[in-house]
Amino acid sequence: AVAGDSVLFLKDHIIYSYNPQDNSAKRISEDTFPPPYRIYYKADIAVQGDFAAVITGIAGSYYISAINISTGSVLIKNIAASSFEFVLTEDEIICIRGTSGKWSLNRYEYKVKRNEKIKPLGNLIGIYLTDKGYALEREDEIIISDYDNNSIKVPFDCRISGRCRNSLIIGYGNNNYIIDFSLFLEEITGLKEKIPGFAD
């Protein structure tokens, strides 16, 4: 992950900061960030301002931790998550917990060490998190929602092919379109207000 003029990377469960200007790397925290299972796992790092979050794990068992990049202090460590999908904002980590059929969306405010369940999700095919909200894909519908639980059903036949940062990759016909999440939610909400029954 890019953090200012440096690149953060994970090696042997340790987070380093690499400076391409002088070709040097230094450890940014004394803590280590191993996954729940040590042999096979994948990892990702997200950066938001002075903070970074690292996720490690595989097959529905993950740990997420948040670090202050400047000081190296760990703000929250080893949040248990059930999906590789998570989002880091300036104040919180939002992730998925639970088991099949009993998924829930959870918020961890790392600055004040507080956590809460945002919403039970039930059965789903896929979920895509952005910093402004999320998209739920079920067998017969796609629902988009902000984190205050203002949600709306997508009223046309499409599919979600993935996510790129804070945009959704929407498949329609034979094409894919990258659409900013906030704009997508705003446009569908606007159409619902103008056309009665549009997104019911």
Side-chain angles (χ1 to χ4, degrees):
V2 176
D5 296 329
S6 300
V7 176
L8 303 184
F9 66 93
L10 186 73
K11 181 179 185 294
D12 298 328
H13 311 148
I14 298 167
I15 297 181
Y16 294 90
S17 175
Y18 170 72
N19 184 339
Q21 302 295 326
D22 59 10
N23 197 31
S24 65
K26 65 178 182 179
R27 185 171 179 167
I28 66 166
S29 173
E30 291 304 310
D31 279 76
T32 58
F33 304 94
Y37 304 109
R38 302 285 179 111
I39 300 176
Y40 302 108
Y41 66 96
K42 57 183 180 176
D44 192 18
I45 299 173
V47 173
Q48 185 66 252
D50 289 332
F51 306 105
V54 58
I55 183 170
T56 56
I58 199 165
S61 184
Y62 303 90
Y63 284 154
I64 307 173
S65 301
I67 309 124
N68 184 310
I69 299 169
S70 303
T71 65
S73 60
V74 176
L75 303 167
I76 196 162
K77 187 168 181 179
N78 291 353
I79 296 169
S82 304
S83 169
F84 200 62
E85 186 78 8
F86 82 101
V87 66
L88 170 72
T89 73
E90 292 184 357
D91 303 301
E92 62 197 8
I93 291 170
I94 296 171
C95 65
I96 312 300
R97 297 196 65 183
T99 58
S100 182
K102 297 181 181 178
W103 307 113
S104 67
L105 193 62
N106 292 260
R107 169 186 284 132
Y108 292 85
E109 297 176 271
Y110 52 83
K111 290 181 180 177
V112 294
K113 306 282 194 296
R114 183 172 59 204
N115 66 76
E116 66 172 330
K117 184 185 289 187
I118 299 174
K119 181 176 181 157
L121 300 173
N123 285 313
L124 52 94
I125 294 173
I127 184 167
Y128 306 87
L129 305 180
T130 75
D131 65 351
K132 301 298 183 187
Y134 58 96
L136 284 177
E137 192 173 20
R138 295 200 167 106
E139 273 190 28
D140 57 348
E141 64 182 4
I142 294 173
I143 296 170
I144 54 175
S145 177
D146 62 23
Y147 291 119
D148 293 322
N149 288 321
N150 298 309
S151 61
I152 189 168
K153 181 179 175 181
V154 176
F156 46 84
D157 188 22
C158 66
R159 65 192 179 278
I160 302 178
S161 302
R163 175 181 62 84
C164 179
R165 296 187 180 90
N166 292 310
S167 295
L168 298 175
I169 304 171
I170 303 293
Y172 185 79
N174 294 323
N175 299 311
N176 284 307
Y177 302 90
I178 298 175
I179 304 172
D180 177 80
F181 176 87
S182 297
L183 180 62
F184 192 46
L185 179 58
E186 179 184 318
E187 290 296 324
I188 291 177
T189 302
L191 287 169
K192 182 179 181 181
E193 290 170 358
K194 293 175 183 175
I195 308 170
F198 178 72
D200 293 333

